Amino acid sequence: MCRRFLCVLLVMSLVPLTGCWSRKELNELALVMALGIDLVPEGYAVTVQVMNPGETGNQVGGPSGGMPVVTYQATGRTVPDALQRMLSTTPRMLYLAHIRVLVLGEALARSGVSDVLDFISREHQLRTDFFLLVAKDSEASKILQTVTPFEHIPANSLYSSILVSHKQWAATGKVTLQQFITELERGGSNPVMSGVELKGDEGKSGSLGNLETVSPKTLIQHAGIAVFKKDKLVGWLGESLSKTFNYVLNEVDSNISNTPSPGGGLAGFIVTRSDSTLEARLDAQGKPEFTVKPRMEANLTTIQGKLDLNNPASIEDLQKSIEQHFDLRLTRNIREVQQKYGTDIFGFGEALHRKYPRAWRTYREHWDDSFRTAKVNVRSKVVIQRIGSVIQPLRKEIEEK
């Protein structure tokens, strides 16, 4: 009886198990690593960068002569329509779960991306951890058809370069689908995307000849941050403006800069830690006013002058010089975004909404106009942690001999 009861129990335990009803064999799938979408008269031109499993482990241009990726392109009225038409040329079913980057052509970004992102966010295969990019002055297809050095798979190269540049350079952004949609749907802020562009000879970007020289003929480089007003691209932020954006949003891990030294010449420093806060208040007339407070730790990298670093007062003067540098630059750049684009990418409106929900009701419908004239103050605080293994500037020591 005990054995019978155990057998019945084992059989019943198999009932709720689903098994492998949705299994997908790797030899039946085409792994899409990057997706590019461009605007064309017929609708959308969709480009996919598919991993070539037989060549992934080989050196590019090795004995087999194959490429680690293959690109396919098709046109349709909608994105899923184009992907369906692509099956007439691809030998396997397209599998979108491993996409690392989604690249949008600039023409598409300027016309509006909401229709495209509706499919991207609705498709159950797609994760939300890939990065969104805009091809500056170019098409997404040209970006995805470029062979890159170091990484055999160009999509991985783009993904890695975004992480590295955002952490070390602070002039780019790492925007995921979820972040963009959240900013798009939330009142009081507008979204952004990172930009990429081709540098060099586009004619050789997709061939092995691009990698046969010490200096590749074509490279993919970051092009700052794309500014959106709702779902439409309205402009671009250069290096300085992009860094200001990241400082305000507390997205800076490390950044190298320089400022005039109190002892003459330039003082170079690297920001090793940054923590910014944003405060909103209403002035006597009830108008919104904002204060950005970056708190930074920095290390000196170079002194081009005669500053006496043995004197603690010199360190204090240098800290004040760096603080003034950030106050002036961030204030000027924020003002430029206000006047040039009139789109609140910093989230000032959201800060006002959180602190003064009643007052926000009067600004909500016309916040873009109010944002242009809103007063913004910057109050930086910098602490120099290290001055390096050499205390005095070399120029000072040479002249004292």
Side-chain angles (χ1 to χ4, degrees):
M1 290 294 295
C2 197
R3 290 181 179 178
R4 290 179 181 178
F5 176 77
L6 183 59
C7 291
V8 173
L9 183 62
L10 290 174
V11 172
M12 292 180 63
S13 64
L14 295 176
V15 175
L17 298 180
T18 58
C20 299
W21 61 273
S22 62
R23 72 184 187 278
K24 295 179 176 64
E25 301 294 339
L26 285 176
N27 58 0
E28 300 174 355
L29 300 175
L31 299 182
V32 179
M33 304 302 296
L35 185 67
I37 306 175
D38 291 300
L39 187 67
V40 294
E42 298 82 5
Y44 300 102
V46 179
T47 305
V48 296
Q49 188 180 99
V50 179
M51 180 190 298
N52 185 359
E55 301 294 336
T56 302
N58 298 329
Q59 184 178 0
V60 178
S64 63
M67 296 290 292
V69 293
V70 181
T71 58
Y72 296 96
Q73 189 178 64
T75 302
R77 293 289 301 276
T78 63
V79 175
D81 181 26
L83 290 172
Q84 189 74 15
R85 293 175 184 273
M86 205 176 293
L87 297 178
S88 62
T89 56
T90 57
R92 300 179 183 181
M93 291 290 296
L94 298 175
Y95 190 59
L96 306 177
H98 291 280
I99 288 179
R100 309 305 301 272
V101 291
L102 169 63
V103 185
L104 305 175
E106 180 165 340
L108 170 62
R110 290 192 178 277
S111 68
V113 300
S114 57
D115 290 341
V116 170
L117 295 185
D118 179 81
F119 161 74
I120 300 299
S121 59
R122 196 181 297 275
E123 173 57 43
H124 69 280
Q125 280 191 20
L126 288 166
R127 304 172 185 176
T128 58
D129 58 349
F130 55 87
F131 292 139
L132 303 181
L133 301 169
V134 178
K136 185 177 181 180
D137 298 326
S138 184
E139 300 173 353
S141 60
K142 294 181 180 179
I143 300 295
L144 297 189
Q145 291 169 0
T146 301
V147 181
T148 57
F150 290 104
E151 291 283 356
H152 291 176
I153 300 176
N156 288 342
S157 177
L158 268 174
Y159 185 88
S160 300
S161 65
I162 291 172
L163 293 176
V164 172
S165 62
H166 181 75
K167 184 175 182 178
Q168 301 295 334
W169 188 35
T172 60
K174 49 178 186 177
V175 182
T176 63
L177 175 66
Q178 191 61 47
Q179 290 173 329
F180 187 88
I181 293 179
T182 299
E183 295 296 329
L184 188 64
E185 296 177 344
R186 184 170 61 185
S189 63
N190 280 290
V192 299
M193 285 189 194
S194 289
V196 290
E197 61 183 349
L198 291 179
K199 179 183 179 181
D201 185 4
E202 296 184 10
K204 297 183 178 181
S205 61
S207 66
L208 288 176
N210 190 41
L211 305 180
E212 291 177 348
T213 60
V214 176
S215 299
K217 301 299 182 182
T218 310
L219 289 174
I220 299 176
Q221 70 176 16
H222 293 284
I225 291 178
V227 178
F228 282 75
K229 196 168 189 176
K230 297 187 181 300
D231 70 327
K232 295 182 179 181
L233 173 67
V234 295
W236 293 90
L237 301 183
E239 179 179 338
S240 180
L241 293 175
S242 297
K243 289 183 177 182
T244 296
F245 168 79
N246 283 321
Y247 272 113
V248 175
L249 269 67
N250 202 21
E251 289 287 339
V252 174
D253 294 318
S254 177
N255 179 37
I256 293 178
S257 187
N258 56 73
T259 185
S261 171
L266 289 176
F269 60 92
I270 177 172
V271 175
T272 58
R273 182 178 179 182
S274 177
D275 184 13
S276 299
T277 58
L278 174 60
E279 298 179 358
R281 62 178 294 270
L282 298 177
D283 62 13
Q285 290 74 35
K287 295 182 179 180
E289 183 177 323
F290 304 93
T291 302
V292 180
K293 295 182 177 181
R295 298 292 181 265
M296 292 165 281
E297 295 178 1
N299 297 335
L300 294 184
T301 58
T302 181
I303 296 292
Q304 299 177 0
K306 305 176 184 179
L307 187 65
D308 184 8
L309 295 179
N310 280 323
N311 186 357
S314 298
I315 303 296
E316 295 180 2
D317 292 341
L318 186 55
Q319 288 178 163
K320 292 179 181 179
S321 178
I322 297 176
E323 290 171 354
Q324 293 175 359
H325 164 79
F326 277 105
D327 288 347
L328 292 175
R329 190 179 70 175
L330 267 61
T331 301
R332 182 182 67 247
N333 290 344
I334 292 172
R335 189 58 182 164
E336 182 176 343
V337 174
Q338 288 178 288
Q339 296 178 342
K340 188 174 182 179
Y341 300 116
T343 173
D344 184 5
I345 58 176
F346 304 105
F348 291 155
E350 177 62 20
L352 180 65
H353 183 197
R354 288 196 303 266
K355 189 169 183 180
Y356 302 101
R358 291 186 178 179
W360 171 248
R361 297 174 188 173
T362 62
Y363 290 100
R364 180 172 51 191
E365 300 299 329
H366 54 87
W367 174 241
D368 286 341
D369 295 331
S370 301
F371 168 72
R372 289 181 180 271
T373 58
K375 184 178 180 180
V376 180
N377 304 304
V378 179
R379 301 287 183 266
S380 302
K381 179 64 178 178
V382 177
V383 177
I384 296 177
Q385 296 286 1
R386 295 185 177 91
I387 62 174
S389 57
V390 178
I391 298 179
Q392 295 294 8
L394 290 181
R395 180 182 298 181
K396 177 179 176 62
E397 293 189 353
I398 291 173
E399 292 184 357
E400 289 179 350
K401 287 184 178 180

